[in-house]
Amino acid sequence: MTAALTYPPRTLGPEQEAMRAEVRAFLQKDYADGGFGRGQEAMARYDVEFSRRWGQAGFIGITWPKKYGGRGLTFLDRYVVTEEALAAGAPVGAHWVADRQSGPLLLKYGTEEQRQRFLPRIVAGEAFFCIGMSEPDSGSDLASVRMSATRTDGGWLLNGTKLWTSLAHICHYMIALVRTSPVNPENRHEGMSQMIVDLNAPGVEVRPVYNLAGEHHFNQEVFTDYFLPDENVVGEIGAGWEQVMSELAYERSGPERILSTFQTLVELVRQVGDNPSEVEARAIGRLTAHLMTLRGMSVSVAGMLADGKMPVTEAALVKDLGTNYCKDVPETARLICPPEDGAGGNSRYEKMLKTATLLAPSLTIQGGTREILRGMIARGLGLR
């Protein structure tokens, strides 16, 4: 490990363990009351009513200042809240993006009026946000976005298309990355800006995109002369690239990058039982050891965020290794403990394995493909 890429060990203290007990008590009661059903890739599953109860319990925006409805706690506290929700398989998708990165973005770059307008509603589980970055034909090259925002009286006119937008069909707002000036071939990162789009306003059409599992998670949004008022511009016009890069440390390092198929590992252990074969024990031991190592790296990044640092490269490595691990879980499970009918089956283990197998390929694409991430890591190490 070079000096350019380090993961200082962090230990969760008694405050975090107290938070863990608080979150577990809520989840156990809510589950017992029939409030939610357990599932995999919890951040892609949503239940609007669960998000409202989660917010009312004080688990959204816990690191944000109290004057906006937050609890003024640390990123380590937030790590524990997120880890418990994902481990329980709770449907956190509705408030996920607003809690993880839209709110922190507004705290860092937004105006006071924007913070007052949006943050208390996010904390209450009443305002959901999505990310408007990807576009058709742009692949993983975020600098190639073409959606335009042109100046008009009192604001901007937006034209273009966003694609692969998670849960836009249930969100109230999108923070879109747009071009506010033509592409500079010498520096394609110039001329981008971020704007808060009201998805219920005229001029934007949200269309469904179904994934490999046949589920409606992604969307396409088509903008036609969409009017965006000046007060919805986030930060400085033309500084969108730098602002987006600061978001990605929040997006790429959390426990969601290592726990997306955790329920399959849990069910695999149950399926194998108390007397596993040597092959089964070795495979489960390897998966568990990798998970604990990744967790240590992920907690370390949370600690760096708590210290006010911006560990973009370290977060990229967690995301790359973590999502590959999430793919490894169903592949290993299928090899050592295949479904009895060879095609799926109806036991809980078989349902989890089937879902994880279908969803796992998308995990290395969401939030930055492995090629983009490895390029960032190489740059961070001074190799390119």
Side-chain angles (χ1 to χ4, degrees):
M1 198 79 59
T2 74
L5 192 59
T6 59
Y7 291 86
R10 295 297 290 249
T11 302
L12 300 177
E15 298 87 355
Q16 284 77 48
E17 295 310 318
M19 174 61 73
R20 189 184 303 282
E22 180 184 342
V23 178
R24 281 188 182 177
F26 172 89
L27 289 168
Q28 288 170 356
K29 183 178 186 308
D30 202 73
Y31 180 74
D33 291 344
F36 70 93
R38 300 183 190 277
Q40 294 186 103
E41 206 190 5
M43 63 181 182
R45 298 170 53 247
Y46 66 90
D47 180 330
V48 170
E49 293 305 318
F50 175 83
S51 288
R52 288 180 179 145
R53 294 194 298 276
W54 192 245
Q56 289 165 4
F59 297 136
I60 299 178
I62 67 167
T63 64
W64 305 352
K66 294 181 180 179
K67 67 176 182 177
Y68 303 122
R71 297 171 64 171
L73 300 177
T74 70
F75 280 96
L76 292 173
D77 294 302
R78 185 182 184 279
Y79 189 95
V80 168
V81 172
T82 306
E83 186 175 53
E84 288 298 317
L86 296 178
V92 295
H95 64 267
W96 187 262
V97 167
D99 183 25
R100 182 182 64 183
Q101 60 196 92
S102 305
L105 181 78
L106 295 178
L107 282 169
K108 188 170 184 179
Y109 296 108
T111 64
E112 182 59 25
E113 187 277 332
Q114 289 171 345
R115 295 170 189 150
Q116 295 284 355
R117 180 159 42 122
F118 294 111
L119 297 185
R121 294 171 57 205
I122 293 174
V123 167
E126 296 175 350
F128 307 138
F129 280 65
C130 58
I131 304 169
M133 294 187 191
S134 299
E135 295 186 5
D137 304 320
S138 64
S140 299
D141 183 8
L142 189 58
S144 68
V145 299
R146 294 178 297 182
M147 183 169 155
S148 66
T150 54
R151 204 75 177 94
T152 189
D153 290 342
W156 302 79
L157 284 181
L158 275 54
N159 284 282
T161 303
K162 292 295 180 183
L163 186 60
W164 309 119
T165 312
S166 298
L167 303 181
H169 57 297
I170 65 158
C171 288
H172 305 94
Y173 304 98
M174 164 195 287
I175 294 186
L177 182 67
V178 300
R179 284 212 166 272
T180 44
S181 61
V183 176
N184 176 3
E186 301 298 322
N187 185 356
R188 296 189 305 137
H189 299 162
E190 288 183 357
M192 297 187 193
S193 303
Q194 286 186 295
M195 300 182 174
I196 304 170
V197 171
D198 182 345
L199 291 171
N200 293 310
V204 57
E205 179 184 359
V206 180
R207 300 172 179 171
V209 176
Y210 294 92
N211 65 17
L212 188 63
E215 298 169 342
H216 180 193
H217 172 75
F218 299 115
N219 296 273
Q220 179 187 56
E221 302 78 40
V222 180
F223 292 79
T224 307
D225 289 337
Y226 175 99
F227 176 76
L228 185 132
D230 281 329
E231 56 263 33
N232 279 16
V233 173
V234 180
E236 296 181 22
I237 290 295
W241 182 263
E242 291 76 12
Q243 294 175 192
V244 163
M245 290 300 104
S246 74
E247 279 187 66
L248 296 180
Y250 300 111
E251 179 180 351
R252 290 174 171 164
S253 61
E256 66 271 26
R257 300 307 181 189
I258 61 178
L259 292 175
S260 290
T261 56
F262 178 69
Q263 294 295 323
T264 298
L265 177 59
V266 171
E267 295 304 326
L268 172 64
V269 173
R270 288 178 176 151
Q271 185 77 3
V272 167
D274 295 334
N275 295 298
S277 68
E278 183 177 343
V279 170
E280 292 167 341
R282 187 184 303 123
I284 291 172
R286 181 177 63 82
L287 290 174
T288 304
H290 286 186
L291 178 60
M292 294 309 296
T293 300
L294 288 166
R295 182 178 183 271
M297 295 169 67
S298 183
V299 171
S300 176
V301 172
M304 286 187 266
L305 290 171
D307 293 339
K309 299 176 181 176
M310 196 53 63
V312 174
T313 305
E314 289 84 352
L317 183 57
V318 171
K319 200 272 183 183
D320 184 42
L321 295 176
T323 51
N324 276 298
Y325 169 79
C326 291
K327 288 177 64 177
D328 190 30
V329 171
E331 290 173 4
T332 300
R334 180 174 52 81
L335 289 174
I336 68 169
C337 192
E340 291 184 2
D341 66 2
N346 292 314
S347 71
R348 181 169 175 78
Y349 165 69
E350 290 166 329
K351 289 178 179 177
M352 289 292 176
L353 178 57
K354 179 180 179 180
T355 303
T357 301
L358 289 171
L359 292 177
S362 68
L363 299 177
T364 55
I365 300 173
Q366 300 170 6
T369 65
R370 68 177 66 180
E371 290 78 13
I372 293 292
L373 293 172
R374 291 175 183 180
M376 292 175 60
I377 295 164
R379 191 178 301 112
L381 291 171
L383 301 176
R384 58 177 294 199

